[in-house]
Structure formats: structure tokens, C-alpha cells
Amino acid sequence: MSRIGKAPIAIPAGVTVEVKDHVVTVKGKNSSLQQKINPDINVEVKDGHVYVTRPSDDREHRAQHGLYRALIHNMIVGVSEGYRKEMELVGVGYRATATGQVLELSLGYSHAIYIKLPPEVKVEAKSERNKNPLIILTSEDKQLLGQVCAKIRSLRKPEPYKGKGIKFVGEVIRRKSGKTAGAK
């Protein structure tokens, strides 16, 4: 059996999980998330835990067993605690400002880049003197948050020579040495 799939998911206080017509709905104090489930996979809620089971050991059922358990767990953690990602802009003149759901980035191009974020994602931009500007993104939906972060990062990926670009806080960029001067 799948090691991830067979582990029960504990439901914290203040969170309700409901399964109806192969749709799992997780409601928390200030938001709710939904996930459509394959009809072959069985999801049960009992005794304050969520159990995910599969009908057979087919390759497809084994793959989906762990997947749906992880998706339901991410929804439960999202509505109870939420997810947070911090990204920093490394480079001279790189700036970020957030007004409402619009993020304005200045990344060394000839123009500013404006990104309209989905309403589920909250954005905050910080810039302190002598520190790299930070973009802080928070959301209940882990998948949507990851997609938004990937989109922002794709605008200027960190390059290996000087390390300039948009990177996650704490991420280590493998650096390369440049040309060797005067190789004889």
C-alpha cells in the first residue's frame, strides 16, 4: 500500500470536511476549498480523521491513492493555517510594489511589469535600506500559490554567474566561475 495514502489525516478544531458526489469540501474559519476526486478512490470521514482507500492494486489506483490523500491534507492545512512564500529580488535597481491585487516589478527591463494576482492570493512587498526587496505571498490554496510564485520567478530567473534574479528566501543558487583571464 502507499505509505502516504494509508496514513489518516487528522482534522483540526474549527475545520469541517464533507464528501458528496466525489467532491471533497474543506471549510475553515475564513475560507473553503473543493477538490474533485476520481470515483474509484474512496474517501471517508469518521472519528475526526479522513481516510482514503483504493479498490485495487492497479498502477493507476496506487498513483491516485497517495495523490488525493496529499491534496486533501494540503486543503486541510491551508484552511486551518494557510501557506506563505517569500521571494527576494537580487539585483541593482530591482524593485517591487504592491497596490491591492496588482504587483508592479522593476527588473532591469526597459519597462515595468504589472501582474494581476488572483483574489485568493494576498501580496505584500517590503523594501528596507541595504537589503533586497521582498515579496510575501500568502494563500489557503497551496497549488495556486505555487503557480503564482512560478510565474513571478519566470520573469527573471536567478542566473548562476552573479546570482541576480528573483529567488525564494533561503534558496541556494549554484554559482559558476566566469572566464579565466589570460589562459595560456
Side-chain angles (χ1 to χ4, degrees):
M1 255 190 126
S2 168
R3 290 185 192 153
I4 292 175
K6 68 181 177 183
I9 308 166
I11 302 173
V15 176
T16 59
V17 179
E18 188 178 298
V19 182
K20 186 176 182 184
D21 296 330
H22 306 295
V23 175
V24 176
T25 306
V26 179
K27 293 182 183 172
K29 37 186 181 260
N30 50 5
S31 69
S32 79
L33 297 171
Q34 289 187 333
Q35 177 66 46
K36 193 170 183 341
I37 301 288
N38 186 336
D40 293 342
I41 304 296
N42 186 25
V43 178
E44 289 183 274
V45 180
K46 60 182 175 186
D47 301 330
H49 288 77
V50 178
Y51 297 94
V52 181
T53 56
R54 64 178 184 233
S56 70
D57 275 347
D58 288 349
R59 185 182 182 113
E60 188 174 328
H61 289 157
R62 286 194 320 247
Q64 291 178 349
H65 186 209
L67 168 75
Y68 286 125
R69 190 260 179 212
L71 290 175
I72 294 168
H73 179 262
N74 288 344
M75 291 192 310
I76 290 173
V77 171
V79 297
S80 62
E81 300 168 20
Y83 290 99
R84 174 186 170 105
K85 296 264 188 178
E86 294 182 3
M87 305 176 86
E88 71 178 311
L89 283 63
V90 180
V92 177
Y94 288 12
R95 289 190 311 273
T97 54
T99 50
Q101 289 301 103
V102 177
L103 179 65
E104 179 187 353
L105 297 170
S106 176
L107 301 174
Y109 295 116
S110 62
H111 58 283
I113 300 169
Y114 296 92
I115 301 173
K116 184 161 179 19
L117 299 172
E120 297 89 9
V121 177
K122 306 289 180 255
V123 65
E124 180 185 345
K126 287 185 182 176
S127 49
E128 297 177 21
R129 190 168 171 86
N130 296 329
K131 289 191 178 178
N132 292 328
L134 286 177
I135 302 169
I136 301 167
L137 300 163
T138 55
S139 178
E140 288 84 25
D141 191 347
K142 186 176 186 178
Q143 184 176 351
L144 180 66
L145 184 64
Q147 285 179 331
V148 169
C149 287
K151 177 64 180 166
I152 292 171
R153 182 184 162 101
S154 72
L155 298 172
R156 182 71 92 171
K157 287 186 179 170
E159 52 96 17
Y161 296 102
K162 291 185 179 178
K164 291 170 41 172
I166 302 174
K167 67 177 193 130
F168 293 105
V169 171
E171 178 184 9
V172 178
I173 306 297
R174 278 191 67 193
R175 303 292 293 267
K176 291 183 179 179
S177 60
K179 294 180 183 179
T180 56
K184 293 182 182 178

